[in-house]
Amino acid sequence: MDKLKDIKPIVEVNDTSFYLFLGVIILCLVVVAFLVWIGYKWYQKNKTIKYNFDLSNSKQTAYKLIEIIRDKEDSKEYIDKLHNYTYKKEVPPFDKTLFDEIVKKYKINYKI
């Protein structure tokens, strides 16, 4: 038994690996949440709505354009021009130059 004197009792060792692991997990969650937030903001900024316009149906096209540009700046002038194609039984063919002006000014993504 004299030879076993070098065996020491169990000593508690401070282990911080669990806290380090939790810190890494939390950091990863924060980074993923940030990337999702950035992606959502980018999607909101760059989402496009494609509108279908049938220029042979002047009345329907005018109503759609009025609905799209109603809340935009300086739309009063174009809305007044578009009213020539609404509220009448017989309407003239839709003016392609007016359509092009409105689409260009308000950056409307469309297909005909």
Side-chain angles (χ1 to χ4, degrees), residues 81-99:
K81 288 180 183 178
L82 288 171
H83 278 301
N84 294 333
Y85 300 101
T86 59
Y87 307 120
K88 295 179 185 175
K89 190 171 185 175
E90 296 293 324
V91 292
F94 202 84
D95 183 16
K96 180 77 167 128
T97 56
L98 176 63
F99 179 77

Side-chain angles (χ1 to χ4, degrees), residues 35-48:
L35 291 175
V36 167
W37 181 71
I38 292 293
Y40 177 74
K41 288 294 186 180
W42 179 83
Y43 172 76
Q44 287 294 332
K45 180 181 174 192
N46 293 321
K47 72 178 179 180
T48 56

